[in-house]
Amino acid sequence: MFEKILDLTTQIKQQGPLVLNITNYVTMDFVANGLLSIGASPVMSHEPEEIQDLIAIASVVVINPGTLDENFVHLCEAACKAANQLNKPLILDPVGVGASSYRTAVSKKLISDYQIAIIRGNASEIMALAGLPLTTKGVDSNAGTAHAVASAKALAAQGSTVLISGAVDVVVNAEHEQGFSRGSAMMPMITGTGCLLSAVVAAFHAVQADAFAAASAAALFYSVCGENAAAQSSGPGSFKTKFLDSLYATPEASHYAKN
Amino acid sequence: MFEKILDLTTQIKQQGPLVLNITNYVTMDFVANGLLSIGASPVMSHEPEEIQDLIAIASVVVINPGTLDENFVHLCEAACKAANQLNKPLILDPVGVGASSYRTAVSKKLISDYQIAIIRGNASEIMALAGLPLTTKGVDSNAGTAHAVASAKALAAQGSTVLISGAVDVVVNAEHEQGFSRGSAMMPMITGTGCLLSAVVAAFHAVQADAFAAASAAALFYSVCGENAAAQSSGPGSFKTKFLDSLYATPEASHYAKN
Amino acid sequence: MFEKILDLTTQIKQQGPLVLNITNYVTMDFVANGLLSIGASPVMSHEPEEIQDLIAIASVVVINPGTLDENFVHLCEAACKAANQLNKPLILDPVGVGASSYRTAVSKKLISDYQIAIIRGNASEIMALAGLPLTTKGVDSNAGTAHAVASAKALAAQGSTVLISGAVDVVVNAEHEQGFSRGSAMMPMITGTGCLLSAVVAAFHAVQADAFAAASAAALFYSVCGENAAAQSSGPGSFKTKFLDSLYATPEASHYAKN
């Protein structure tokens, strides 16, 4: 798998795929910088009038309703519709689903109405999205992951690949399931690591048509970059700086071999 | 006081209080990262429909109308109303009050209509908010602080604790006043240090019910983190990085003793 | 020219000109931090009601429709009108013009209806803005720059100074043309380097009334800061940090002499 990842990161640098982000205001800067660091070409938009034009030139579209309001929801729907019509893959990041019933309803409607190639969320978001019974407090992480995998499989039955990210990353589609136990505890200490992962998954999918393979490669690549950054940092500030440097440098083959 | 601060920072890390930020677009990323660095759990929202849900699960609510428009003002009012009803403390950051009459009117209306636990602003914002005669140009900083303290006392008479931040930080409530002369000249060289201070004050208030004690502890903690970061930095870029690292590390007891 | 630049950066630090940014959400934080680093005083706004007040106290106004929607376009028009009335210079950053017909139309209307002191864009944005025949793919950079210079001259004939930024920066007005081949390949690896350059040009114009001289000095200063930062960085993350540090330190006279 390592060689495949090295090949995909090289292709991203060579092709510079245009990733259109319909995304939240909090982490836009980090997402844009992370995409630039791996060699992809980010564009952000909030204007329905230009969505059609931008999707036409984009390789892939990320929908991230992290700071949503009514206009933003209409924008997401217009973008999903256009992306499906133009056969541009959609990546959905259901940020904060479960935290408010509004957020949950918005993301559920998107996956019901449109064809989503890959859904990327943390365990509680995936569980809330699948609507399975949820125990958010006091759940140990193994039980949490097991619950989330069942939820991911329910979502995958509708045709999406699902990436559950966390201490353990799990990728699920209708037939397969793959898990990785990599990354760093520093990753959730900065805002936007989830958002950027969704965007990186999108960039990988732009050069790897198989959604399951793209999500798996992106997740492992991202976690190893996190490990490399954590090894050089002394807190969340320096971690963020080194993480962008690590995305840019891309890990060497040896970094993928677990110590 | 040092032991008390160490105790509060430990409690924040253990409890991870959810801090809801109704905040401006410019500094959202920095505020979120700063809250994560001290162990709090940030959430940002701009959607009236989910405010009630989010306030219900939040420990404390920060109102920061830094980039305000009509929708944002309605959102602030809805959030203040819900927070008062649900007994969740409100922290107000009157960003840029005095710079435009619109901003001044918006923040004045909020403090008149709702119960604000803590107001955090710089000297000129606090003076503009209190509506006392203002001389913004050519005022030396001591005179500025003295003027601002009188303004803060006028605001505190309505029940809020007021934190004036600057080269000297002063905390005022109806009965008490406390000042600190700590921090670094680098702090105003990066955008959002004021916004993040307000959010850090909120996180402290989540674990320290006494607003005056919470604001005092947060202000001193924050200034000492600023000193620690400045000692390791060579400009605003590296200062920002090191400041987040310092918030994460939390100062040692010895750092609070002024050299 | 070096002495003149040193003089201008000193004046910016001494006067702290207020730069009003009507700007996009993605790069607001970076633009604000960059302006603070050089000693200017940034303010951002999205509210028509306060635009008049803020322009009255600002030295210069930057219009950057990077994440535009209908409200934002109205805001830009109101800001341009007020700035022209109050004789505050306007700097236009036509972000992404050419990527969607909506963006192109918005920026074209602004330059047609209002007096713009300086337009700052990359080669493809300047070409799209001028409406000259455009070949975006496979163009080598020399041909690209030559095309863009013809476009810049067409725009300059309407009274603006035009700064085309890229590997080669070219400044054009109705009579003059000046080019610089400085900077670092790291600069386009972080989001907002173009946006911040426009804001830095604005700060220089606040202390240098001649638009051509201001744009030339700002462009060279900015590129040399980029070189200094790249020399100390190991990727886009550390480059961003060091770039802000370099803007703050300001280059020494010797750095302007090309090695």
Side-chain angles (χ1 to χ4, degrees):
Chain A
M1 186 166 182
F2 311 159
E3 292 74 16
K4 184 67 189 162
I5 297 177
L6 296 173
D7 183 40
L8 293 176
T9 56
T10 302
Q11 282 186 55
I12 292 169
K13 280 183 199 289
Q14 284 170 349
Q15 299 176 24
L18 191 65
V19 179
L20 173 62
N21 300 273
I22 313 292
T23 193
N24 75 77
Y25 294 108
V26 185
T27 64
M28 274 185 159
D29 168 88
F30 185 54
V31 169
N33 278 321
L35 285 172
L36 286 169
S37 293
I38 62 169
S41 197
V43 62
M44 274 69 183
S45 175
H46 281 163
E47 172 51 54
E49 279 212 41
E50 66 174 357
I51 281 301
Q52 195 83 16
D53 282 2
L54 294 178
I55 290 177
I57 58 172
S59 298
V60 59
V61 180
V62 182
I63 305 289
N64 176 319
T67 44
L68 74 182
D69 59 18
E70 203 186 343
N71 289 337
F72 192 82
V73 172
H74 290 155
L75 180 68
C76 289
E77 286 168 349
C80 286
K81 191 175 170 186
N84 275 184
Q85 283 171 344
L86 295 167
N87 282 319
K88 302 296 172 96
L90 281 167
I91 315 299
L92 174 67
D93 186 328
V95 185
V97 161
S100 79
S101 52
Y102 182 68
R103 283 175 191 235
T104 307
V106 165
S107 283
K108 276 190 174 178
K109 189 167 185 329
L110 293 176
I111 58 171
S112 148
D113 293 355
Y114 304 102
Q115 195 182 333
I116 311 291
I118 305 173
I119 302 169
R120 196 293 313 163
N122 62 33
S124 72
E125 289 161 349
I126 295 301
M127 288 187 279
L129 197 58
L132 299 189
L134 176 64
T135 49
T136 47
K137 284 281 175 192
V139 152
D140 75 82
S141 67
N142 288 337
T145 300
H147 255 94
V149 169
S151 300
K153 284 183 179 167
L155 293 169
Q158 298 163 39
S160 302
T161 289
V162 180
L163 164 56
I164 311 162
S165 61
V168 180
D169 294 333
V170 184
V171 188
V172 171
N173 71 6
E175 294 112 38
H176 302 98
E177 178 186 330
Q178 185 163 26
F180 311 99
S181 223
R182 301 292 297 264
S184 156
M186 266 294 153
M187 296 175 84
M189 295 297 297
I190 61 173
T191 193
T193 29
C195 302
L196 176 53
L197 173 53
S198 299
V200 167
V201 164
F204 273 71
H205 194 27
V207 298
Q208 165 57 272
D210 182 296
F212 186 87
S216 302
L220 182 52
F221 163 77
Y222 199 74
S223 289
V224 174
C225 288
E227 293 173 6
N228 288 350
Q232 305 170 66
S233 65
S234 53
S238 48
F239 176 76
K240 183 175 175 176
T241 298
K242 293 297 180 185
F243 188 54
L244 291 170
D245 284 358
S246 297
L247 289 170
Y248 171 76
T250 74
E252 296 168 27
S254 64
H255 297 159
Y256 289 103
K258 182 109 182 188
N259 303 321
Chain B
M1 185 166 184
F2 310 158
E3 292 76 15
K4 185 66 191 160
I5 297 176
L6 296 172
D7 184 40
L8 293 175
T9 54
T10 303
Q11 282 186 54
I12 292 168
K13 280 184 199 291
Q14 284 168 350
Q15 299 176 24
L18 190 67
V19 180
L20 173 62
N21 300 274
I22 313 292
T23 194
N24 75 75
Y25 294 110
V26 185
T27 64
M28 274 186 160
D29 168 87
F30 185 54
V31 168
N33 278 321
L35 285 172
L36 286 169
S37 293
I38 62 169
S41 197
V43 62
M44 274 69 183
S45 176
H46 280 162
E47 171 52 54
E49 279 210 43
E50 66 173 359
I51 281 300
Q52 194 84 14
D53 282 2
L54 293 178
I55 291 177
I57 58 171
S59 297
V60 59
V61 180
V62 182
I63 305 289
N64 176 319
T67 43
L68 73 184
D69 59 19
E70 202 186 344
N71 289 337
F72 191 83
V73 172
H74 290 154
L75 179 69
C76 289
E77 286 168 349
C80 287
K81 191 175 171 187
N84 276 183
Q85 283 171 343
L86 295 168
N87 284 315
K88 301 298 172 93
L90 281 167
I91 314 299
L92 176 67
D93 186 328
V95 185
V97 161
S100 79
S101 53
Y102 182 68
R103 283 175 191 235
T104 307
V106 165
S107 284
K108 278 192 173 177
K109 189 166 185 329
L110 292 177
I111 58 171
S112 149
D113 292 355
Y114 304 102
Q115 195 182 331
I116 311 290
I118 305 172
I119 302 167
R120 199 292 315 164
N122 63 32
S124 73
E125 288 161 349
I126 296 300
M127 289 187 278
L129 196 58
L132 298 188
L134 176 64
T135 49
T136 47
K137 284 279 176 196
V139 153
D140 74 83
S141 67
N142 288 338
T145 301
H147 256 94
V149 169
S151 300
K153 285 183 178 168
L155 294 169
Q158 298 164 41
S160 301
T161 289
V162 181
L163 165 55
I164 311 161
S165 61
V168 181
D169 294 333
V170 184
V171 188
V172 171
N173 71 7
E175 293 113 37
H176 302 99
E177 178 186 331
Q178 187 163 23
F180 310 99
S181 221
R182 301 292 297 265
S184 157
M186 266 295 154
M187 296 175 85
M189 296 297 296
I190 59 173
T191 193
T193 31
C195 301
L196 176 53
L197 173 54
S198 300
V200 167
V201 165
F204 273 71
H205 194 26
V207 297
Q208 164 56 272
D210 183 295
F212 186 87
S216 301
L220 183 52
F221 162 77
Y222 198 75
S223 289
V224 174
C225 289
E227 293 174 4
N228 288 350
Q232 304 168 67
S233 65
S234 53
S238 49
F239 176 76
K240 183 175 176 176
T241 298
K242 293 296 180 185
F243 188 54
L244 291 171
D245 284 359
S246 297
L247 289 170
Y248 171 75
T250 75
E252 296 169 26
S254 64
H255 298 157
Y256 288 103
K258 183 109 183 188
N259 305 321
Chain C
M1 186 166 184
F2 311 159
E3 292 75 15
K4 186 64 191 162
I5 296 177
L6 295 173
D7 184 39
L8 293 175
T9 55
T10 303
Q11 282 185 57
I12 291 170
K13 280 183 198 290
Q14 285 168 350
Q15 298 176 25
L18 191 66
V19 179
L20 174 61
N21 299 274
I22 314 292
T23 194
N24 75 75
Y25 294 108
V26 186
T27 65
M28 275 185 158
D29 168 89
F30 185 55
V31 169
N33 277 323
L35 285 172
L36 285 169
S37 292
I38 64 169
S41 197
V43 62
M44 273 69 183
S45 176
H46 281 162
E47 171 51 56
E49 279 211 40
E50 67 173 359
I51 281 300
Q52 195 84 14
D53 282 2
L54 293 178
I55 291 177
I57 58 172
S59 297
V60 59
V61 180
V62 182
I63 306 289
N64 175 319
T67 43
L68 73 181
D69 59 21
E70 202 186 345
N71 289 336
F72 192 83
V73 172
H74 291 155
L75 180 68
C76 289
E77 286 167 350
C80 287
K81 191 176 171 186
N84 275 184
Q85 283 171 344
L86 294 168
N87 284 315
K88 302 297 172 94
L90 281 167
I91 314 299
L92 175 68
D93 186 328
V95 185
V97 160
S100 79
S101 54
Y102 182 67
R103 284 177 189 233
T104 307
V106 165
S107 284
K108 277 193 173 176
K109 188 165 186 327
L110 291 177
I111 59 171
S112 149
D113 292 355
Y114 304 102
Q115 195 182 333
I116 311 290
I118 305 172
I119 302 168
R120 197 291 315 162
N122 62 33
S124 72
E125 289 161 349
I126 296 300
M127 288 187 278
L129 197 58
L132 299 190
L134 177 63
T135 48
T136 47
K137 285 280 175 193
V139 150
D140 75 83
S141 67
N142 287 337
T145 301
H147 255 95
V149 168
S151 300
K153 284 183 178 167
L155 293 169
Q158 298 165 41
S160 303
T161 290
V162 180
L163 164 56
I164 311 162
S165 61
V168 180
D169 294 331
V170 184
V171 189
V172 171
N173 70 7
E175 293 111 38
H176 303 99
E177 178 187 332
Q178 186 163 25
F180 310 99
S181 222
R182 301 291 297 264
S184 156
M186 267 293 154
M187 297 176 84
M189 294 297 296
I190 60 173
T191 190
T193 31
C195 301
L196 176 52
L197 173 54
S198 299
V200 167
V201 165
F204 273 72
H205 194 26
V207 298
Q208 164 58 270
D210 183 296
F212 185 87
S216 301
L220 183 52
F221 163 77
Y222 199 75
S223 290
V224 174
C225 288
E227 293 174 5
N228 288 350
Q232 304 169 67
S233 65
S234 51
S238 48
F239 176 76
K240 183 176 176 176
T241 298
K242 293 296 180 187
F243 187 54
L244 291 171
D245 284 358
S246 297
L247 289 169
Y248 172 75
T250 73
E252 295 168 28
S254 64
H255 298 157
Y256 289 102
K258 183 107 182 189
N259 304 321

